[in-house]
Structure formats: C-alpha cells, structure tokens
Amino acid sequence: MFTLEWSASSRLKDVMHQFQKHLDNLQEFWSVLDDIDKSLCVVDVKQPSRASSVRRIHAGNDCIILVHIDFNDPKSLPECRFIGPLPPAMHMNNLHTSWRRNSKKWSKEISFRENLECILGTELPKPPGLQEEDDHQQVECGICYAQFLPTDEELGARSGTPTDYTCENISCNKSFHSLCLTDWLRSITTTRQSFDVLFGNCPYCSDPVAVKINNK
C-alpha cells in the first residue's frame, strides 16, 4: 500500500495522481510475478496473489523453493530458501549447493525461470497446463514407437533425443528418429546410398525419403 499525502489544499485529482504513480511503480514487480506464475509450477492452494512477494516453487522430488521477490528491485537475485523432507534428500542438498555456488550468475537480462535453471543446473517442472501442452507436442517415432531415443552412452549426443525427421507427404506426416529410419532403410534391399545419404521409401506411405547418415 502507498502512503497518501493529503493537505488542506489537496484535491481528488491529487489522490488519483498519487495512486497512478504507485501503480506505475508496481508494474515491473507484477510482471516478474506473472512470469513466475506462468512458467513455473507454483505451489499454492489458492490462486497466486499479486499482493504477495512470496512464491513457493515446486522443484521436483518433494522439494520446494521459497523465493521472496524484492518489491523495489524485482529483477534482482531473490531471497531463497529450500524446503523438503527430513532428513534432507540428495536432490535438495544439490540444489542448495548449486544456489550458493552459482548465485552470482543471476542476470536481470533473462527471465526468472532461465535464471533459476541456470543457477541450479537443472530443468524445473512446468505448470500442469504448460507441461500437458509440451507432452502433446512430443511425437512418437513411427518405427520404435517412443518419443525419445534410449539414454545410452553408445548413442553419444543422440542419447535421449526426440524425433527429428518427418515424412514430407502431408497426408502421412509421420515422424521418426533419424537413427531408427536409417536402420530401417538399411534393412530394405531397394534402398540406395549416395555418399552419406540413404534414399528409400517411407514405411507408411511409400513416398521417397532421404536421410543423412550420422556416424558420430
């Protein structure tokens, strides 16, 4: 709340001017709160309030990050406390250690979520609605029927990657992992190779496909 300055010569327009100035000062603070509420999983029984400078953020594995946003400098490094099970789990200890070690990396030039994930060195849970949208956008491979390749050291940089090739036939539009499609094309006798590219047919619509072989 702002402190109203009033005198015998004050008028209603003076009150309105003071109130408008106070609202202008709140814009950046509210913008930071909105960014947190939209991009992170805020733990609150009720709808997060713009009147509160505190946010309880879900960090996975029953760990909560309690942050206090500075009203006067909302984009600055917030006060932060980690709440979790007792005795503290390894996940919470790792987050706390990363926070103490990397807090100087906080930047006013990037979003609140980007700052937290950079300092903590981990991806934080998204709000339920946003997470469902991301899950819906992930497409299964038409050959291995998985969204992501297995997490395996033998796959190198491709370990755990999503589908990255889509059939150009609009009526088919089937997605694949390039690795899966490469293995499948190599098993077909009609497939031909030119330098590091395999030429064959889509397993679903038989339209031509061309996949670059990645030997790394």
Side-chain angles (χ1 to χ4, degrees):
M1 297 297 293
F2 74 106
T3 302
L4 176 64
E5 297 179 3
W6 184 264
S7 66
S9 61
S10 295
R11 298 292 183 266
L12 181 59
K13 66 176 182 180
D14 299 319
V15 176
M16 293 297 295
H17 177 73
Q18 292 178 53
F19 184 65
Q20 184 62 53
K21 184 177 180 181
H22 182 64
L23 289 181
D24 291 342
N25 291 335
L26 284 169
Q27 295 308 308
E28 189 174 51
F29 173 69
W30 283 338
S31 177
V32 171
L33 292 183
D34 288 345
D35 178 35
I36 295 173
D37 295 340
K38 291 176 181 178
S39 65
L40 292 162
C41 187
V42 177
V43 181
D44 202 324
V45 177
K46 300 179 182 179
Q47 183 72 17
S49 170
R50 280 186 164 194
S52 173
S53 63
V54 178
R55 287 296 186 269
R56 298 168 66 236
I57 299 169
H58 179 44
N61 294 344
D62 297 324
C63 179
I64 302 296
I65 306 174
L66 186 68
V67 295
H68 293 258
I69 310 303
D70 184 356
F71 161 75
N72 293 310
D73 192 8
K75 290 189 175 182
S76 64
L77 178 72
E79 292 183 24
C80 182
R81 188 157 60 96
F82 297 88
I83 304 172
L86 292 175
M90 182 180 296
H91 177 66
M92 189 172 77
N93 286 334
N94 290 341
L95 292 178
H96 189 255
T97 300
S98 296
W99 178 266
R100 286 189 287 107
R101 181 185 301 144
N102 302 322
S103 58
K104 291 183 179 180
K105 294 181 180 180
W106 189 273
S107 170
K108 295 183 179 182
E109 305 303 318
I110 61 177
S111 70
F112 194 94
R113 180 189 181 91
E114 289 173 319
N115 270 311
L116 273 187
E117 292 185 335
C118 175
I119 289 177
L120 299 177
T122 186
E123 184 176 353
L124 296 171
K126 296 179 182 178
L130 191 59
Q131 185 64 52
E132 289 172 6
E133 181 179 335
D134 285 352
D135 292 342
H136 179 70
Q137 291 176 350
Q138 294 294 344
V139 182
E140 292 181 351
C141 173
I143 295 174
C144 72
Y145 302 110
Q147 293 179 356
F148 303 93
L149 286 172
T151 303
D152 192 326
E153 292 182 0
E154 294 184 3
L155 295 177
R158 294 173 294 181
S159 176
T161 55
T163 53
D164 58 350
Y165 186 96
T166 303
C167 177
E168 294 182 359
N169 181 348
I170 299 177
S171 61
C172 176
N173 205 37
K174 201 68 178 177
S175 296
F176 308 95
H177 299 115
S178 293
L179 182 63
C180 295
L181 188 55
T182 297
D183 290 344
W184 187 85
L185 288 173
R186 280 175 168 164
S187 68
I188 305 300
T189 57
T190 56
T191 299
R192 54 190 179 83
Q193 180 174 344
S194 177
F195 296 100
D196 59 348
V197 178
L198 290 177
F199 296 90
N201 302 96
C202 172
Y204 286 81
C205 70
S206 298
D207 266 23
V209 293
V211 186
K212 186 174 182 179
I213 302 172
N214 188 345
N215 294 317
K216 295 181 180 180

